[in-house]
Structure formats: structure tokens, C-alpha cells
Amino acid sequence: MAFLTLKNLRFRQGTWQFAIDAKIERNSCTAIIGPSGAGKSTLLSLIAGFERPERGAIFVDAEDITALAPALRPVTILFQENNLFAHLTLARNIGLGRHPGLQLSAEDKTRIEEAVAAVGLDGLEDRLPESVSGGERQRAALARCLCQDRAVLLLDEPFNSLDPALRHEMRSLVDRLRRERCLTVLLVSHNPEEAAEIADTALFMHGGQILERGNLEELLKRPRTSQLAHYLGQSRE
Amino acid sequence: MARSPGPLTRKFYAIARISWPGVVSALFLLLLIGATFTVLLIGSGPIRLINDLGKDPYLRQVVGFTLWQASLSTLLSIGMAIPVARAFARQPSFPGRRLVLQLLGLPVVTPVIVAVLGIIAVYGQSGILRDGLQLLGLSWSGRFYGLTGILVAHVFFNFPLSVRMLLPAWDRIPSENWRLASQLGMNSRQLFRWLEWPALTSVLPGTAAVVFLLCFSSFAVVLVLGGGPSATTIEVAIYQALRFEFDPPRAAALALGQLGICTALVLGLHHWIRAQSISRGLASGARYRPDADQSIHRSFDLAVIGLTSTFVALPLAAIVYAGCTGPLSSVLLDSRLWAAAGRSVGIALAAAAVALSLAAGLLVTSRHLVFQLRRRTESDVLQIAGSITLAVPPMVTGTGLFLLLLPLGIAFDLAVLVIILVNATLVLPYMMRTVGPAFLDAGHRYDRLCRQLGMSGWYRLRLADWPIIRRPLGFAVALCATLSVGDMGVAALFDTSGAITLPVLLYHRLGAYRFDEAAVTALALIVLCAVVFLVVDRGIGRWHS
């Protein structure tokens, strides 16, 4: 069985419908591409537990997590914004990954220091989010995700607002951490070429469904559906 | 075989488990209003009500006058507020602008009875204004008590409030529009016609609706300045029916009428009132505009602002002056004053605490419903429930509780409790509108993050919400406590000693024509309000988690 399985998931918002079946391998990095409104973020919300499906189930490592609260799932997520509490220092924000009331043991503190070092934020622990750069804020958020010790990392376009060089740097960081810590990464992206830097496989979503799946490079080179071709700007002129 | 609960039952329990705070708050309000309504209905007898309202000329006159004075007050307040707000918007920077705007915020928190005293001292029959006019060889011999006095007082309270509520409209005009207008060579009148008026129309109905409601259920102003049966509003008529004519059925009928009209008004104007935030409204006004620097406009604006400030400041200054030069020692050494002040503060803090608990319940559940269960309608219902007391004036609730407790013989024993309860419902809408936006915004920004991290209950309140709502909460509780310290309506209804709260004590000194003592008492009340506001605002606003 695959590591992350989405079995016959159904979800509805007004008249908009969502129907997904997917299997994600352990320690892989999967890009989710597709036009706005395709359901990419909804997919992450369902996996993270912010939305409950009408039908279907989600399995991680053969365990059914469909009914679990977000905090109890083996899943962590990085949003596009508001990943950090603006009124708490970076260290406290990261510490929330160890205990939701910040009651930290000595071990927790070691783990936080490790995570801070892993994302290269040494010396900035006591700053407030507003006094560091956008890249440093997302690094801190990533450090918090690491502290949570979750097997699945969901990235909901968290690096979008960064400069190209910083985006590249963050992607390399994620790639390195995935290999070191054996994470399974799902990455929503508006930019398939950039996603290709770290993602091996891809899901192409359109209208609440997965239309194509497979090797990302292959999909980009030889789209099978007209929707993907259209999305990539390769439709027949 | 034991049946496991079905999915619907489980869903119900899941919703009930997290919704109970809001449900408890809403039930409490519903119970209070339902009990009030039932007591009034039984107390008046439905047939008698219809007969009364249809045939009794006195009642018809009271209702008519209430509507008439509220309409005139609204028209005057708004009519004066538009040019003044425009002057503030056109002059975004002059020395003391902030200070003047803060001065315009004072009448709302000044105890009505104190302001009335100041208004009499300045604009009254033998006031400073008349003396000044006589020096200039002018004289005015109209009656001040009656409609004139009521209008002056209502304008004093609501015209500055309207200015502050209208001012944010200018911020909604995009700066490109001003540049475009100057390209097109528009003059001041055309700017108003094409840019400012369209922006104003979005806030004008809400402001007018709030002012009308406030004037419609105005009590202390009319009680003191009405001066006779020809100028009596429904609320004052209720008070007189209960306290002087000992006619509970008539009071109940009047209260039902007041409830009916207010509810109809709130329902009818609901759309506009909802959009209108009751906030500090210290907007900075327009940026670049072509007619701002012309000296004729600038002098006109500054003159308008100067006149406005004088109009508002004079009565307040008169009180402070009269208070400082009055018989300070004899009034301040009176133990009745201190006892009344103590009760006032106790009532105010308790009322603010009750209102805060009710608001917290409604808001916590409302946030839960909208962000986690995606039930926007139910969430809106809870938020509207918090403003429902706008439709049920305190005097009506007070009358209901009075008639409920009177036959039991404990109406006056429970006076303090009843005043706390009614004042809590009085200030609840302010609490909801001040804390609500910040609390919901905290949810909007951090709801998913909190759920991801497993922060709920106390952890979430302490680490995620408190730092964000601390300041608005401090302001809200301070505002509510201050409003409650200064409120007199229900306290007057339940008073037996003439000194149950400080405003009631002041009213009785005023009624006995002891103006010197009244001025000192008024000064004490102002100081009390200021102390309560500052201590609570700073106390909560600076309290870190």
C-alpha cells in the first residue's frame, strides 16, 4: 500500500464538486499543478483536516486518519501567509510545534535549537516576525513544521511572495530536509518549471479532479489532455 | 444489539459540544427579552393596549412627540455634521486636529445628566449664551425647556458623534479620483457633488439610523429638559406612569409600544445599522485635494471647526468651572455621595463583566461556526443576537423586570442586581462591535494554524487571541463601564433613596434646584467616569499574558 492514500474522496462547496483518488509514495515529492479553482488547496485542506470529506477516506501508512482533528494527524502544513503569530518571537512560534501551550521540556528546547540550526536561523530566535525578512519568516515556519515530527509535509505555495533566488534557496532547503528526515512532501505550485526542481511526480488537477498524474518532466513535455496542454500554454495555435 | 448513535446524532453532539457558550448567551438574552415581553403583555392586557393607543389623546401625543423630536434631532445633527466632517476631511493637518476630534468623542461618554446640566448653564434660560447676546444688544426670549432644550441637548450628543461616523467616508475616495478631479478642473461644489456625496451616501443612512434610535429612546434629556406633558417621550411617560401615577398597566402598554416601534425601526434599518461600526473613527481624512489650500476654504473650514469645538467644549467647561467654584467641601464630605459613587462603580464593573461574558460566548461560538463548521448563517444569527438589545431599550427591560418583581415585593431589594442586568444589555452592542471585529480577524488569520498546532481553549486564548484583542477589549470594557457609570434610566426607576447611583443623586439635586451642589456632584461624576475609563482601558490594554 502506498504511504498516503486518498480513497474515493468526495467534497462539495455549493455547486462545486471535488472527487479524488490518489496514492502517494513514501519519501516522495509530488507537485500539484493546475489552474486557479482546480481544487489544489482544497486537496491540502482535506489531507490536513481543515475540511471534512462527504465520503471517502484518507490513509497515512495504512492508518485511517479521516476522522482525526488536524493536530492529531501525522501531517503538517506551510501556508502562503500567516504561518507565524505576529506577536510571538520566532523561538516561541517554533516552540508551538512542540507544545500548543509552550510548556517546553529540556528535550523540546534541544529540538527547537536543532530545527533553528537546520533552517539556518541561528541568532534570530528572539526577533519578532515583523523584524526579519520574508524568507526568514518562512524558514522559521519550516522549522516549526520540523519540530512537529510529522511524516507528511504539505506546502500550500508558501514561497510565492519571495524573490526568485530566495524561492530557489527555499526549495533546495525543503529538498535537503526531505531526504534527511524522510518526509513525504506535497507541493501546490503555480509554476510547474520551478516545481520540477524538487518534485519528481505530479498531479494535474482541473475542475476538482485529477486529470493526469505521473512523472512531472513527462507531463510537461507531453501533456495527454487538452486541459493540461491549455494550462501549459501548449495548445495548438 | 445496542444501537450506536447515528451520524446525525453524532454531528449534533459535535456541534453542541463546541457551540454551548454561544447558545447559553443567546438563551440568556432570549429569556430576558421573552420574559419582559410576556410580563408587559400580561400587565397591559392586549385589548387595553389597542384601546389606549387608538383613543387616548395623551398617548397619541406622547408617541407623536417622540417621533417628531427624534426626526428633528436627527435632521439637525446630520445636517450640521456633513459640513463639519467635510471641513475636517479638507484640512487633514492643522495643529490640534487630533485633540479636537477627541473632544468630539467626549459627549458620547459624558453622563447625560451632567451634559444636560452644562447645556442649561450655557444655552439655558439664564445661561451664559443669553448673557453674551444681551451684551451685544441682542435678546432672545423663547422658552428653553421643551422642544428647544431637547433639540439642543440631542444635537450636543449626536452631532459630534455623526461627524466621527461620517469622517471615514472620505477615506474611501481613491486618491486617483482627486487627481482626476483636479485634472478636470472641478471646483469645490462639483467635488462635493461628484466625489464626496457618493462616498457619503454609504455611511449616511447608518449614521442617521443610529442617531434616530438614540434620540428615540432618550430618557434623561427629556426628563430634565422636557418641562411638561406637551414635551414627553415614551420612556419618560413610562417612568411617570410607574413612579408618579402608579399605573402599571399604562406603563406596560407604553413599554410595549416603545418595544414595538424600536423593533420595527431596528428591523427596518437593520441593513444600515449593521454596516455602521461604532468605533473611534479617527480617520485622517483626504490626501491631496485641489480645493484644500485655497485660503478662503481653509479659513472657512477652520472657522467651522472652531465653532463646533466651542459648541461642544462650552457646556463641559461650564460644569468644570461651576464644580470647582462650588461648595466643594460640603458636597465631597457628604457620605451619600461616596456611597452612591461606590454603588455606581460596582454596578458599572459588574455590568461590563456580564456584557463581556455574554459577548465572549456569542463571539467564540460565532467564530467556531464560521471558520470550522462553515455555518455562516448561524454565525450571523449569534452576532445579531448580540445587537438585539438595540431593539429592546433598557427602559423597556427595566419596566418588565419592575412589573415582574413588584408583586413579589422585592423590586426595590433587587434594585442593584436589576440595574446591573439592564446596563449589561445596554452596553452589549458596543462590546460586540468593538471586540467582535478584532476577535473574528484573529480567527481569519490564525484559525488553521491554531488547529494545525492543536491550540484550543485556554492555550489558544492566551497565546493566539489575547495579544490581538487586548487593546480593543480594554477599550470596549472601559467604554461600557463608563457608559454604565453615567447611565440613569433604570436606576431612576428603581431608586428609593434618591441616591442609588451618582447620576440619580445628581438628578435629585438638579430637581431640587440646588445648582451649586449639583455642579460639584457633576464634576465628581465626570472625574469618576474618567478614572474608571482610564484605569480599565490601561489596566486591561497593558496587561500582558
Side-chain angles (χ1 to χ4, degrees), chain A residues 76-87:
Chain A
T76 180
I77 183 167
L78 215 52
F79 308 106
Q80 201 163 355
E81 52 187 1
N82 291 326
N83 280 301
L84 301 176
F85 292 103
H87 49 267

Side-chain angles (χ1 to χ4, degrees), chain B residues 392-403:
Chain B
V392 188
M395 194 51 111
V396 171
T397 323
T399 309
L401 292 173
F402 189 85
L403 294 179

Side-chain angles (χ1 to χ4, degrees), chain A residues 30-237:
Chain A
T30 307
I32 302 163
I33 59 175
S36 323
K40 306 189 294 292
S41 291
T42 306
L43 177 61
L44 293 200
S45 285
L46 283 163
I47 299 173
F50 302 128
E51 306 283 1
R52 291 287 169 88
E54 277 179 11
R55 274 201 287 145
I58 304 168
F59 297 90
V60 172
D61 213 3
E63 186 202 354
D64 186 349
I65 63 164
T66 322
L68 292 183
L72 301 177
R73 299 183 176 209
V75 172
T76 180
I77 183 167
L78 215 52
F79 308 106
Q80 201 163 355
E81 52 187 1
N82 291 326
N83 280 301
L84 301 176
F85 292 103
H87 49 267
L88 298 179
T89 61
L90 297 189
R92 284 163 75 81
N93 265 296
I94 296 169
L96 284 171
R98 297 303 301 171
H99 187 279
L102 283 180
Q103 288 157 15
L104 303 173
S105 66
E107 194 217 331
D108 289 333
K109 285 175 184 153
T110 324
R111 294 293 311 276
I112 294 165
E113 277 167 30
E114 266 173 33
V116 166
V119 300
L121 276 182
D122 314 72
L124 297 178
E125 295 95 328
D126 295 327
R127 301 272 202 95
L128 284 174
E130 63 183 11
S131 68
V132 300
S133 72
E136 284 159 347
R137 278 199 283 278
Q138 296 300 53
R139 277 168 191 271
L142 194 57
R144 195 202 48 234
C145 290
L146 295 179
C147 278
Q148 286 179 273
D149 275 334
R150 306 285 167 89
V152 178
L153 172 64
L154 308 175
L155 303 176
D156 196 354
E157 306 192 69
F159 311 136
N160 260 15
S161 54
L162 305 179
D163 293 337
L166 265 178
R167 283 210 294 274
H168 174 74
E169 209 176 284
M170 291 302 292
R171 280 193 300 273
S172 319
L173 178 60
V174 168
D175 196 43
R176 199 189 79 217
L177 294 171
R178 171 174 73 91
R179 290 168 203 284
E180 283 174 10
R181 302 186 180 226
C182 196
L183 301 172
T184 304
V185 179
L186 266 79
L187 158 80
V188 165
S189 176
H190 261 118
N191 191 329
E193 283 79 20
E194 287 191 2
E197 276 182 36
I198 57 168
D200 25 35
T201 56
L203 305 174
F204 171 64
M205 290 192 67
H206 191 278
Q209 293 184 320
I210 298 175
L211 289 192
E212 291 197 40
R213 60 191 86 200
N215 183 283
L216 180 55
E217 305 259 337
E218 282 292 307
L219 290 189
L220 295 185
K221 268 184 217 150
R222 278 179 287 278
R224 292 187 295 268
T225 59
S226 61
Q227 287 93 334
L228 179 54
H230 183 81
Y231 172 68
L232 295 171
Q234 298 174 359
S235 50
R236 279 158 282 139
E237 265 106 78

